[in-house]
Amino acid sequence: MNLMLAPMEGLVDPIMRDVLTRLGGIDLCVTEFVRVTNVLLPTRTFHRLAPELLHGGKTRAGTTVRVQLLGSDPACLAENAAKVAGLGAPGVDLNFGCPAPTVNRHRGGAVLLTEPELLYRIVSQVRAAVPEAIPVTAKMRLGYEDKSLALECAQALASAGAAELVVHARTKLEGYKPPAHWDWIARIREHVTVPVIANGEVWTVADYHAIRAQSGCERVMIGRGLIAAPDLARRIASDQSATPMAWSVLMEWLLDFYQQCVAEAGESRYPPARLKQWLGQLKKTYPEAAAFFERIRRETSAENILKIMRDMSAK
């Protein structure tokens, strides 16, 4: 597994995973986080966020999907991890990187990087609760306010039993502002004995090779770069630095994505909102996305937008 699709709440949902993995080049996905508080979640919650559990833990393209949990209660996380493993999850990932203020205020995500000892307890208890054959992994940032605990946190996760670490090379306070500190990933990789996956600020094939060279990591996780250029993974896998696919080809995939959203949510505000959200990301790569966005900016009817897209695809 060389290239992983990053979990991004509200963006990389099951439909997006389906489309991007069918485009090709992605070796593994991680779900949006499942928020764990102090209860054992019902099966329907896991199936809603990870419907791939109903299909052997894989997308339609056959790409493995790990289920990510977020929380701060070691015992409750362990109980829910055991349940999702029993539902067929190919792997359980733990979120220590989410920068969202609401999540952090409720002791989830990146704020836990201020408590290395808690990280250790969470991972060790989850690892003990999950069958040995199922990997328990973790995703972290370089810290909360600064990087002073980065190595200690990585060591805590690794020594507690995490099979591998994904490192987003920024702190919580740095958010998604460039640059990503790829040299810190190299420091962490040299400090732990488990595999490290590099993550952060990969937008092009050249960025992919650069983060591998600077971090020393063989594997890379990409988030926003794959949303902005959906065939980036395929171009990386084929070792081609060619320009992204033509807009006319991408329109067919956008139509596929939108039709799935309509099939799921019907004539509601959800399909138009999801399409506009993706177009906002695609504008980074495709000028045509900006023009299309303006054309449907005020349109709220799912059916009207579907007609517009079909007309555009037919031309």
Side-chain angles (χ1 to χ4, degrees):
M1 300 176 186
N2 296 314
L3 202 148
M4 301 165 65
L5 174 61
M8 302 178 69
E9 186 193 11
L11 187 57
V12 182
D13 62 0
I15 297 175
M16 184 68 79
R17 291 195 295 272
D18 172 70
V19 171
L20 292 181
T21 56
R22 282 192 291 123
L23 269 163
I26 296 170
D27 300 299
L28 186 142
C29 301
V30 181
T31 68
E32 301 167 276
F33 65 74
V34 179
R35 185 71 165 98
V36 174
T37 53
N38 58 357
V39 298
L40 179 61
L41 295 170
T43 298
R44 65 178 180 274
T45 297
F46 293 109
H47 284 167
R48 176 174 57 83
L49 290 170
E52 296 93 346
L53 291 171
L54 298 169
H55 305 283
K58 297 180 182 295
T59 67
R60 199 173 2 162
T63 306
T64 296
V65 181
R66 292 176 181 164
V67 177
Q68 185 179 82
L69 305 181
L70 178 148
S72 58
D73 184 320
C76 198
L77 283 165
E79 188 178 18
N80 280 276
K83 177 165 184 172
V84 77
L87 293 173
V92 176
D93 189 65
L94 296 167
N95 182 319
F96 303 114
C98 179
T102 301
V103 170
N104 291 169
R105 279 198 302 272
H106 291 86
R107 293 193 77 212
V111 72
L112 298 183
L113 296 170
T114 62
E115 303 179 67
E117 65 288 343
L118 179 56
L119 302 185
Y120 182 91
R121 296 207 318 274
I122 289 172
V123 174
S124 61
Q125 290 193 39
V126 169
R127 177 66 276 174
V130 172
E132 186 177 351
I134 298 176
V136 172
T137 60
K139 187 171 191 284
M140 62 174 284
R141 282 178 173 253
L142 296 179
Y144 188 74
E145 294 182 337
D146 57 48
K147 305 173 184 65
S148 61
L149 294 176
L151 299 181
E152 186 176 348
C153 287
Q155 183 60 51
L157 296 171
S159 60
E164 58 190 36
L165 304 179
V166 174
V167 179
H168 182 131
R170 284 178 274 232
T171 65
K172 183 273 179 188
L173 290 188
E174 289 170 337
Y176 295 97
K177 297 177 182 177
H181 309 285
W182 296 341
D183 57 315
W184 269 89
I185 303 177
R187 293 181 63 181
I188 288 173
R189 187 180 61 81
E190 293 168 357
H191 197 72
V192 299
T193 57
V194 300
V196 175
I197 295 92
N199 174 232
E201 212 64 22
V202 176
W203 299 92
T204 65
V205 176
D207 290 338
Y208 168 80
H209 290 297
I211 194 173
R212 286 190 61 187
Q214 191 165 344
S215 69
C217 295
E218 294 184 0
R219 290 183 286 165
V220 176
M221 176 179 276
I222 306 178
R224 293 174 301 152
L226 275 169
I227 307 303
D231 70 330
L232 176 59
R234 187 169 68 188
R235 287 185 282 122
I236 289 171
S238 61
D239 199 27
Q240 296 178 359
S241 58
T243 55
M245 70 170 71
W247 173 253
S248 59
V249 177
L250 178 56
M251 269 300 302
E252 295 298 321
W253 290 98
L254 278 171
L255 179 58
D256 181 303
F257 171 82
Y258 190 68
Q259 286 173 324
Q260 290 194 57
C261 290
V262 172
E264 179 178 289
E267 185 65 29
S268 68
R269 292 180 178 271
Y270 173 78
R274 286 290 282 128
L275 178 62
K276 293 171 187 177
Q277 180 191 39
W278 195 7
L279 289 172
Q281 296 291 321
L282 288 169
K283 288 190 290 186
K284 298 179 176 69
T285 304
Y286 294 93
E288 298 93 336
F292 182 28
F293 179 87
E294 289 303 320
R295 181 172 177 179
I296 65 170
R297 177 195 286 270
R298 294 178 176 80
E299 184 61 70
T300 58
S301 167
E303 185 60 32
N304 286 349
I305 292 178
L306 192 56
K307 290 177 182 178
I308 292 170
M309 295 184 75
R310 285 172 173 161
D311 288 344
M312 293 174 66
S313 296
K315 291 180 181 179

